[in-house]
Amino acid sequence: MLQEAQERFNFGVLNGSITRGEGNLAGALGEVASIHYLQSKGYRVEDTSTYDYDIIVNGHKVDVKTKRQRHAPLPHNRVTVSSWNTKQQCDFYFFATALYNHSYVYLNGYYQKEAFFREADFKHKGDGDPEGGNTSFTFTHDCYVLHNHQIHKFK
């Protein structure tokens, strides 16, 4: 999957990229892992890679959001969608976590887009995140967040 993600990683910095392109490979890994997992479960997956969504799963447009971490995701860790991305034309968000060394990708779960924005907490740039498990962390952009334990798990 790493080789497939590296081949997919042939683009520059995306508009609204919080990491200014440093997370592109992790993002590609999250997309590749999602595609492989869903296909293994018998879902029909179209790899589209547009600005608004990454894949179409059984007719539903899905954008994969991948976060980089040093460890496996924990229930109190957060999944986020930047306020920059609220207008994406997708039906669902899939959330993944890639280790910084790219050795492992975790598929955290999913959430319907409209429900996500209704139920998520809004965090302003500069806000801390004591509930997320890292007391020294501050948000670098306005974004919407949910805990990992709040999202729907893949079966």
Side-chain angles (χ1 to χ4, degrees):
M1 280 193 261
L2 183 58
Q3 181 177 348
E4 192 175 335
Q6 288 169 330
E7 292 167 6
R8 185 181 194 86
F9 170 62
N10 62 355
F11 49 86
V13 178
L14 298 173
N15 277 342
S17 173
I18 291 173
T19 62
R20 294 178 181 80
E22 289 181 22
N24 287 1
L25 182 56
L29 270 171
E31 292 168 16
V32 169
S34 295
I35 291 167
H36 282 261
Y37 173 79
L38 292 163
Q39 288 176 335
S40 77
K41 296 293 186 182
Y43 290 95
R44 188 179 69 253
V45 181
E46 298 173 54
D47 186 0
T48 54
S49 291
T50 71
Y51 170 76
D52 288 309
Y53 50 89
D54 299 310
I55 56 179
I56 299 175
V57 181
N58 289 355
H60 298 284
K61 298 170 186 170
V62 175
D63 196 61
V64 180
K65 300 294 185 190
T66 306
K67 179 184 283 191
R68 295 180 299 158
Q69 290 185 179
R70 288 180 174 73
H71 56 79
L74 300 170
H76 66 273
N77 290 150
R78 306 285 199 124
V79 296
T80 62
V81 177
S82 169
S83 63
W84 179 272
N85 297 116
T86 59
K87 293 185 175 26
Q88 285 180 293
Q89 300 298 309
C90 60
D91 303 311
F92 288 89
Y93 290 117
F94 283 10
F95 298 99
T97 299
L99 297 185
Y100 273 98
N101 67 6
H102 304 122
S103 64
Y104 209 87
V105 178
Y106 301 87
L107 300 180
N108 302 5
Y110 63 95
Y111 225 81
Q112 193 271 340
K113 177 192 170 193
E114 301 303 326
F116 181 86
F117 290 115
R118 272 194 317 271
E119 297 167 25
D121 293 328
F122 183 77
K123 297 292 184 178
H124 294 277
K125 178 181 178 178
D127 284 352
D129 190 30
E131 294 177 359
N134 182 351
T135 56
S136 64
F137 176 82
T138 57
F139 288 95
T140 59
H141 290 74
D142 292 349
C143 60
Y144 295 83
V145 299
L146 284 175
H147 286 98
N148 274 333
H149 69 80
Q150 293 175 285
I151 63 176
H152 307 288
K153 300 302 176 201
F154 294 108
K155 297 179 181 177

